[in-house]
Amino acid sequence: MEKKKISKSVLKRLPGYHAYLKSIQEAESPYISATALAAALGMGEVQVRKDLAMVSDGGRPKIGYLRESLIEDIEQFLGYDNTTDAVLIGAGKLGQALLCYRGFEEYGLNILAGFDVNPAISRTENGKPILPMDQLEFFCRSHKVLMGIITVPEQHAQSVCDLMVKSGIKAIWSFAPTHLDVPDNVMVHNENMANSLAVLSMHLQAQMRDKK
Amino acid sequence: MEKKKISKSVLKRLPGYHAYLKSIQEAESPYISATALAAALGMGEVQVRKDLAMVSDGGRPKIGYLRESLIEDIEQFLGYDNTTDAVLIGAGKLGQALLCYRGFEEYGLNILAGFDVNPAISRTENGKPILPMDQLEFFCRSHKVLMGIITVPEQHAQSVCDLMVKSGIKAIWSFAPTHLDVPDNVMVHNENMANSLAVLSMHLQAQMRDKK
DNA sequence: TAGATTGTTAATCGATTAACAATC
DNA sequence: TAGATTGTTAATCGATTAACAATC
């Protein structure tokens, strides 16, 4: 397993393999072939093999990959083993949902606290603190937080984003449907619901048209 | 504006242009150039121009595009004008957050109702009904619902998905971190948080490495 | 050995970018 | 006219797919 440069497209497929491999823990054989994986996930088998080659140090011809070690390889590669601390700004409905979502731990994400201009509550149901905004920078600096999640309304997204950058955050996961300007060394990933919707609506429109 | 076949990549960028154009309503000039748009969103200007060519019937050299009609063109193209009805299954935290999110209306999405195996409440804060699962098929058929949103835990996602397909749904927007098997004529879009996280974590890891 | 499977090298495909002609 | 901007045609780039040799 070399540290070759990995493309975004491959990166985005890895969690899918991981989830599937975890879901078949009870399987009879401890091995799984790229062929089988591809069939289960509805993908091309060559693509699966190439993707796995990026993270694994090899399967065995005729047999396949050792499932357990494949899982470990992906986890190590994606950094699921060492957790990333994050803060979240915007403790509205969506923000609270994310703060309470337990699944993130599995992916090595640990949201330490939520922030809000005007916290309605001081803790989430699962005990995570919700703090006033003015404590953000001190909190991030002292906990060395590098990841921030934005769940504020569109109008406030850019100023919240600026605040995060000022607080030393290097990776921003935004749920606000708007473009964010950041310095070069900061990465923004837009979980833009509008984009997803566009693809789905288009499919529906095309289907309706074909029906006629 | 022809109905050329449009690629997914273009489709996913259109909402970004739309949001930005809406956000500069107060601007002095009623025109905007692809150059200006590109600069504002940090994109290549040729790409912007090509994307706009797909939806608009042309800008004017030296001047640019008429902002208002560009907005309309994108809205029409993405179907923001005629609303799509949807149902949501899984009225947990995330499900309720989506049911209450008002921004969807802007994109032509109208979530009619939520469903849950065991509804804790019968209505959301904004008055949307939360119904028991066994009413799903009748509801979908009678309201001719074609889009479904899945916000149930991973283990139940596939069976919920099957139920949606059985109820006539053709486009599924899933927030469950797992692969879903569907017939060919049904489209699934995975809003897979794990995928997004993978990209961001990788960026952080790379940055930490470079720092040393 | 034969056959399934791996990994690699080459070909294809699609999307982005660059170059340039057309237009106001 | 000159210059900014559009739209198109060609070149590049990257990712996917196909073909094939290697291996157990």
Side-chain angles (χ1 to χ4, degrees):
Chain A
M1 164 167 136
E2 300 296 316
K3 37 179 170 177
K4 305 155 191 167
K5 64 189 98 172
I6 193 160
S7 77
K8 253 190 180 180
S9 356
V10 177
L11 214 44
K12 279 199 242 170
R13 284 192 296 265
L14 290 177
Y17 303 134
H18 181 258
Y20 179 73
L21 292 170
K22 293 277 274 189
S23 79
I24 52 160
Q25 295 277 24
E26 78 297 338
E28 59 287 353
S29 161
Y31 288 93
I32 181 154
S33 71
T35 319
L37 242 179
L41 299 180
M43 307 172 63
E45 61 173 289
V46 188
Q47 183 167 69
V48 173
R49 214 169 281 132
K50 268 207 156 159
D51 288 351
L52 296 187
M54 297 297 285
V55 296
S56 153
D57 44 22
R60 286 161 56 187
K62 171 102 178 177
I63 303 180
Y65 302 80
L66 192 55
R67 200 175 55 247
E68 281 302 335
S69 61
L70 197 50
I71 293 177
E72 275 171 35
D73 286 344
I74 298 179
E75 289 184 348
Q76 204 205 326
F77 194 90
L78 293 178
Y80 286 180
D81 40 0
N82 51 354
T83 62
T84 304
D85 288 335
V87 291
L88 179 147
I89 302 190
K93 279 205 171 15
L94 179 61
Q96 286 186 45
L98 295 179
L99 280 167
C100 291
Y101 182 54
R102 323 211 60 241
F104 288 144
E105 292 165 24
E106 200 178 327
Y107 310 128
L109 179 72
N110 182 27
I111 309 179
L112 296 177
F115 290 82
D116 205 292
V117 265
N118 192 11
I121 51 175
S122 68
R123 281 188 182 278
T124 62
E125 286 178 24
N126 60 345
K128 291 197 175 158
I130 297 180
L131 308 169
M133 283 294 257
D134 51 29
Q135 295 185 23
L136 179 72
E137 183 161 4
F138 178 74
F139 188 94
C140 290
R141 297 286 181 195
S142 55
H143 290 86
K144 295 192 170 52
V145 176
L146 297 176
M147 187 179 291
I149 304 170
I150 297 182
T151 49
V152 299
E154 190 176 348
Q155 320 87 273
H156 304 118
Q158 183 64 59
S159 65
V160 159
C161 174
D162 294 342
L163 218 53
M164 282 185 170
V165 171
K166 187 161 162 282
S167 305
I169 279 175
K170 300 297 181 199
I172 294 176
W173 192 11
S174 169
F175 288 79
T178 184
H179 169 78
L180 297 174
D181 269 316
V182 289
D184 278 347
N185 65 336
V186 176
M187 169 179 265
V188 172
H189 180 90
N190 273 69
E191 199 72 38
N192 199 328
M193 312 269 176
N195 300 2
S196 310
L197 267 175
V199 179
L200 285 167
S201 310
M202 218 54 188
H203 168 77
L204 283 182
Q205 279 183 38
Q207 261 219 349
M208 308 273 276
R209 221 180 6 246
D210 295 349
K211 267 284 171 50
K212 289 220 199 87
Chain B
M1 164 165 134
E2 300 296 317
K3 37 180 171 177
K4 303 156 191 167
K5 63 189 99 174
I6 192 160
S7 77
K8 253 190 180 180
S9 355
V10 177
L11 214 45
K12 279 198 242 171
R13 284 192 297 265
L14 291 176
Y17 303 134
H18 180 257
Y20 179 72
L21 292 169
K22 293 277 273 190
S23 77
I24 52 160
Q25 297 277 24
E26 79 296 338
E28 60 287 354
S29 162
Y31 289 93
I32 181 153
S33 71
T35 318
L37 242 179
L41 299 180
M43 306 172 64
E45 62 173 287
V46 188
Q47 183 166 69
V48 174
R49 213 170 281 132
K50 269 207 155 162
D51 288 350
L52 295 187
M54 298 296 286
V55 296
S56 155
D57 44 20
R60 287 161 56 185
K62 173 102 175 177
I63 304 179
Y65 302 79
L66 192 55
R67 199 175 57 248
E68 280 303 335
S69 61
L70 197 50
I71 293 178
E72 275 172 34
D73 287 342
I74 298 179
E75 289 184 348
Q76 205 204 325
F77 194 90
L78 292 179
Y80 286 180
D81 40 0
N82 52 354
T83 61
T84 304
D85 289 335
V87 291
L88 178 148
I89 303 190
K93 279 203 171 20
L94 179 60
Q96 287 187 45
L98 295 179
L99 280 167
C100 291
Y101 182 54
R102 322 210 60 241
F104 288 144
E105 290 164 28
E106 200 179 326
Y107 309 128
L109 180 71
N110 182 27
I111 308 180
L112 296 176
F115 291 82
D116 206 293
V117 266
N118 193 10
I121 52 176
S122 67
R123 280 187 182 277
T124 62
E125 286 178 23
N126 60 345
K128 292 198 175 158
I130 297 181
L131 308 169
M133 283 295 256
D134 51 28
Q135 294 186 25
L136 179 73
E137 183 162 4
F138 178 75
F139 188 95
C140 290
R141 296 287 179 192
S142 55
H143 290 87
K144 294 193 171 51
V145 176
L146 296 176
M147 188 179 291
I149 303 170
I150 298 183
T151 48
V152 299
E154 190 175 347
Q155 319 87 273
H156 304 117
Q158 183 62 59
S159 65
V160 160
C161 173
D162 294 343
L163 217 54
M164 282 185 169
V165 171
K166 186 161 163 281
S167 305
I169 279 175
K170 302 296 182 199
I172 294 176
W173 193 11
S174 169
F175 289 78
T178 183
H179 169 78
L180 296 174
D181 268 317
V182 289
D184 277 347
N185 64 336
V186 176
M187 170 179 263
V188 172
H189 181 90
N190 273 71
E191 199 70 39
N192 199 326
M193 313 269 176
N195 300 2
S196 310
L197 267 175
V199 178
L200 286 166
S201 310
M202 217 54 189
H203 169 76
L204 283 182
Q205 279 184 36
Q207 261 219 350
M208 307 273 277
R209 220 178 8 247
D210 294 349
K211 268 284 172 51
K212 290 221 201 85

